[in-house]
Amino acid sequence: TQVKEFIEPWEKAGADFLSLGPFMLAHDDSWIDEILTIIESSDVIFLAAEIADAKGTVDIGRCMAIAEVIQKLSTLKSNGFANLQFAALANSYPGSPFFPMAYHGGGLPHFALAVEAADLPLKLLAESSKDSSVNSLQRFQSLLIKEFERQAKQLTLKALELAEDSQFIFSGLDFTLAPFPQPERSLARALEGIGLTSLGAPGSTFAAAFLADAIQKADYLKCGFSGLLFPVLEDSLLAARVGEGSVSLSDLLNYASVCGAGLDVIPLPGSITRETLTGILLDVAGMAIRLDKPLTARLMPMPGLNAGDPIDIDFPWFAKGKIMGTTAGGVNNLLGQPGRVRLNAYHQQDSDN
């Protein structure tokens, strides 16, 4: 009842989905028990839980608890769908506009824009195929940077008008190459378009770094991820490459190391163990801290399905695909003991030494 009362005024105002933000490491662990209740009560609320904070603290016990939450959420609604509304966060900051990471850090009211821009490289590739002067990666990247800046300028002008009218502060654009299940909006297709024989082949990590680098070089007010997003179930070609075994979970983590937002809507076997899920979350946390970048993990075990089984969920944002296999095992011994450990970014000196 409380959840419905909370949602009603937002729905009347025109909001389709709401993000409640994360349970932080500083919050009492008893709040984690509310995740199941909130998501069971609503299909429109997104929320998250922090497993590693922006100060370098990784909470192993929290990873274990969130792994259990993911398991329970997988059976809460049909096809493991409830996990769409939940993610683990590592090294995250307020102000990112992409769900489910989005949350407000307090202070003056402000807003940011999330731009699902995976179609831009594809459009530019189609145009440049007719231009003989586009004969190198460097030339293509220069044109891509200009296109990002042109689009960002238009959006920024509109956002500043809205900021003036609403008296909200405009805090930036998250121009992330996030896909949609249509071929013309596929990030995997864009990566193959610049020269990969197939996503997952050698050269894929460089190709991802190349596109992410163009975003970083573009001159506009940035926020959030400002990189590449590899949501397996939201990109038809990526889902196909996963289904045929060309792209693994380790590959997706590799891409996240140079450009990505983490692991997003990953279809996993319903029988995946808590130890394996905990290990995946720890991998994401360790990478986020050591590389000093925000990463998320939205993992979706599918009850009754095994690696390689087909998925056909009736949801406009999802493509058809297959369950992604994982390496057997996970964490135990010291890695399986609840507790907190502090990691430094690879370029950071420990002030205590």
Side-chain angles (χ1 to χ4, degrees):
T1 303
Q2 290 179 329
V3 174
K4 291 180 180 179
E5 290 177 353
F6 172 78
I7 293 171
E8 282 181 1
W10 290 101
E11 289 181 327
K12 290 179 181 178
D16 293 324
F17 300 99
L18 304 172
S19 177
L20 297 186
F23 297 106
M24 311 297 283
L25 290 191
H27 293 157
D28 189 278
D29 281 350
S30 62
W31 280 100
I32 295 176
D33 296 334
E34 301 299 323
I35 293 172
L36 296 169
T37 302
I38 293 171
I39 292 180
E40 186 175 24
S41 302
S42 171
D43 294 328
V44 303
I45 286 181
F46 287 68
L47 67 162
E50 195 176 48
I51 57 174
D53 65 21
K55 297 179 181 179
T57 301
V58 178
D59 191 325
I60 297 175
R62 175 67 63 88
C63 288
M64 295 167 66
I66 295 309
E68 188 172 351
V69 167
I70 292 169
Q71 286 181 317
K72 291 179 178 178
L73 284 174
S74 73
T75 62
L76 199 61
K77 299 176 183 178
S78 63
N79 297 320
F81 203 68
N83 272 305
L84 178 70
Q85 297 167 243
F86 177 71
L89 306 186
N91 196 34
S92 66
Y93 294 87
S96 172
F98 271 100
F99 283 18
M101 179 178 165
Y103 68 100
H104 196 293
L108 296 173
H110 60 89
F111 70 96
L113 299 181
V115 185
E116 296 182 344
D119 59 323
L120 291 185
L122 284 169
K123 289 179 180 177
L124 189 58
L125 281 167
E127 294 170 3
S128 62
S129 66
K130 306 171 186 176
D131 184 351
S132 59
S133 69
V134 185
N135 55 12
S136 70
L137 273 179
Q138 192 64 50
R139 173 63 176 157
F140 178 74
Q141 191 186 66
S142 296
L143 294 174
L144 187 57
I145 290 169
K146 289 180 181 178
E147 182 62 17
F148 284 139
E149 291 176 342
R150 186 183 72 82
Q151 297 272 1
K153 183 177 181 180
Q154 294 178 350
L155 289 168
T156 298
L157 288 174
K158 293 293 184 181
L160 290 175
E161 291 177 8
L162 179 60
E164 185 175 354
D165 292 341
S166 65
Q167 298 300 302
F168 278 34
I169 298 170
F170 172 57
S171 55
L173 296 170
D174 189 345
F175 234 114
T176 288
L177 301 190
F180 190 77
Q182 298 167 337
E184 64 272 18
R185 295 172 65 181
S186 166
L187 174 58
R189 191 175 172 208
L191 289 162
E192 293 185 5
I194 62 174
L196 290 174
T197 56
S198 174
L199 183 62
S204 295
T205 300
F206 176 81
F210 170 79
L211 288 184
D213 185 60
I215 298 172
Q216 293 300 313
K217 287 176 177 174
D219 184 16
Y220 61 90
L221 182 60
K222 299 181 181 72
C223 68
F225 295 120
S226 293
L228 275 60
L229 193 60
F230 289 88
V232 172
L233 291 179
E234 294 178 6
D235 186 320
S236 54
L237 185 56
L238 174 58
R241 295 292 181 250
V242 167
E244 66 193 29
S246 299
V247 176
S248 68
L249 195 66
S250 294
D251 289 327
L252 294 178
L253 280 169
N254 280 339
Y255 308 153
S257 73
V258 296
C259 66
L263 301 175
D264 198 36
V265 289
I266 310 294
L268 297 170
S271 60
I272 191 169
T273 67
R274 189 180 74 159
E275 290 75 19
T276 301
L277 287 169
T278 301
I280 294 171
L281 295 174
L282 284 172
D283 283 344
V284 171
M287 182 176 289
I289 300 303
R290 290 292 291 168
L291 298 182
D292 193 17
K293 62 184 301 181
L295 293 177
T296 66
R298 189 157 47 158
L299 309 175
M300 300 186 69
M302 305 284 183
L305 297 182
N306 300 310
D309 285 348
I311 309 163
D312 188 7
I313 299 175
D314 185 17
F315 185 58
W317 282 271
F318 277 6
K320 294 182 180 180
K322 293 182 179 180
I323 297 295
M324 177 177 266
T326 61
T327 303
V331 296
N332 60 23
N333 200 4
L334 297 181
L335 282 174
Q337 296 297 319
R340 293 186 175 186
V341 60
R342 184 179 179 277
L343 304 180
N344 283 353
Y346 75 95
H347 54 72
Q348 177 186 352
Q349 296 294 322
D350 192 334
S351 59
D352 294 333
N353 289 341

